[in-house]
Amino acid sequence: MTKSKSARSRKLCAARSSQQQPLFSLNDESASDSDASSSACNIVSVGKRRDGGTRYWCLRHKADATAKYGRPATQCRTAHIPPISAAETLTLDIDKYEGGIALWGAVPPVYDTTRQPMDRGIHVHARATVGGVKKMDQTYRAVRIFGDRLPEEGILVSELDAIYYMGSSVFGYGMRHVTCSYCGYAHLDRDWFSVHPHRRHLCAGCGRHFRDTETGIGNPIYAVRDACGVMTLEPKLYRKKLDIKQADFPGGI
């Protein structure tokens, strides 16, 4: 009886896991491709599963495309998510802002009684001169960063990169720039893997597992940090408490 319940529990957890969808898209494509459908998927076989079945991966949407019994799905798990458009991507030349640039993951608040639009993505602050006013104060879904010390094509940072960077750093985990040993795709560790250092990774680019040279957590943001020598302060626990009343703020909190 206990074994039967345990087996059903494992199956239920696996089913729930397979149904979970990412909050954001990683695709860097134009708005004309936003009507992604099953026909737009590029599904290929990427090896065997532990149970002997075949694993399938969508190279277009960078997502699992394995259906029940190890068959190729008609569409991958993220085919329905609108890709990041050019209008939602900021082109940022870091050499033009000598006053400093700050990028961080903007996430929905845990408590919100306002009617303000939800801010989600990468929030950007930029100053042209040291101590000057902010020339940029806005949120984007992606930022392509250019500069003398960066590759000519720049480095793309997605909203997922910034948000998982925030999550990993809040819990005190260091990250590093990890690339797939098969296809060279920059690797982002999400969810459970963003707070558990490991060496074996699943590449979103080609769908294959690869082993890194070090145990760690991958985040493409570190390609920018490594190239520019960016330093940030470590997060510290703030021990003061805020005592406010909802009635004192009719505009919302």
Side-chain angles (χ1 to χ4, degrees), residues 158-191:
S158 80
E159 55 193 352
L160 271 182
D161 300 335
I163 290 171
Y164 279 113
Y165 174 91
M166 177 185 64
S168 298
S169 60
V170 163
F171 288 100
Y173 289 99
M175 291 154 278
R176 57 192 302 268
H177 182 220
V178 176
T179 57
C180 175
S181 57
Y182 293 105
C183 69
Y185 193 78
H187 182 69
L188 171 66
D189 279 312
R190 314 185 200 181
D191 304 324

Side-chain angles (χ1 to χ4, degrees), residues 25-47:
S25 169
L26 276 176
N27 302 319
D28 174 32
E29 306 194 23
S30 64
S32 61
D33 292 330
S34 61
D35 56 344
S37 62
S38 59
S39 61
C41 287
N42 181 12
I43 299 174
V44 299
S45 168
V46 290

Side-chain angles (χ1 to χ4, degrees), residues 77-92:
R77 295 183 181 179
T78 62
H80 66 288
I81 299 177
I84 299 174
S85 67
E88 297 170 311
T89 303
L90 171 68
T91 299
L92 182 63

Side-chain angles (χ1 to χ4, degrees), residues 11-60:
K11 288 182 179 180
L12 179 60
C13 289
R16 287 176 177 171
S17 176
S18 66
Q19 292 168 0
Q20 289 179 348
Q21 302 294 342
L23 294 175
F24 313 101
S25 169
L26 276 176
N27 302 319
D28 174 32
E29 306 194 23
S30 64
S32 61
D33 292 330
S34 61
D35 56 344
S37 62
S38 59
S39 61
C41 287
N42 181 12
I43 299 174
V44 299
S45 168
V46 290
K48 294 293 185 180
R49 302 186 302 181
R50 291 185 177 181
D51 62 1
T54 304
R55 283 198 312 114
Y56 293 91
W57 196 261
C58 177
L59 300 179
R60 176 181 173 85

Side-chain angles (χ1 to χ4, degrees), residues 15-224:
R16 287 176 177 171
S17 176
S18 66
Q19 292 168 0
Q20 289 179 348
Q21 302 294 342
L23 294 175
F24 313 101
S25 169
L26 276 176
N27 302 319
D28 174 32
E29 306 194 23
S30 64
S32 61
D33 292 330
S34 61
D35 56 344
S37 62
S38 59
S39 61
C41 287
N42 181 12
I43 299 174
V44 299
S45 168
V46 290
K48 294 293 185 180
R49 302 186 302 181
R50 291 185 177 181
D51 62 1
T54 304
R55 283 198 312 114
Y56 293 91
W57 196 261
C58 177
L59 300 179
R60 176 181 173 85
H61 301 114
K62 309 292 189 291
D64 181 67
T66 308
K68 194 175 182 179
Y69 305 122
R71 298 173 181 173
T74 56
Q75 63 178 12
C76 72
R77 295 183 181 179
T78 62
H80 66 288
I81 299 177
I84 299 174
S85 67
E88 297 170 311
T89 303
L90 171 68
T91 299
L92 182 63
D93 185 346
I94 60 177
D95 296 326
K96 292 182 178 180
Y97 297 94
E98 296 182 1
I101 297 171
L103 309 177
W104 65 88
V107 297
V110 295
Y111 180 79
D112 187 0
T113 60
T114 72
R115 295 189 177 183
Q116 299 297 319
M118 188 176 295
D119 199 22
R120 188 175 70 186
I122 304 176
H123 196 74
V124 182
H125 281 180
R127 289 179 168 84
T129 58
V130 178
V133 297
K134 286 182 288 188
K135 295 294 184 181
M136 197 174 299
D137 186 357
Q138 196 169 340
T139 301
Y140 302 86
R141 290 190 66 196
V143 178
R144 187 174 291 279
I145 303 173
F146 294 89
D148 291 340
R149 290 170 288 180
L150 298 176
E152 183 178 354
E153 68 277 9
I155 295 179
L156 181 73
V157 177
S158 80
E159 55 193 352
L160 271 182
D161 300 335
I163 290 171
Y164 279 113
Y165 174 91
M166 177 185 64
S168 298
S169 60
V170 163
F171 288 100
Y173 289 99
M175 291 154 278
R176 57 192 302 268
H177 182 220
V178 176
T179 57
C180 175
S181 57
Y182 293 105
C183 69
Y185 193 78
H187 182 69
L188 171 66
D189 279 312
R190 314 185 200 181
D191 304 324
W192 188 91
F193 298 100
S194 67
V195 291
H196 290 82
H198 52 287
R199 182 171 291 187
R200 186 171 183 262
H201 303 276
L202 172 62
C203 176
C206 65
R208 289 183 286 183
H209 287 98
F210 68 96
R211 293 186 67 84
D212 192 22
T213 56
E214 300 178 25
T215 298
I217 296 172
N219 194 305
I221 285 178
Y222 269 71
V224 181

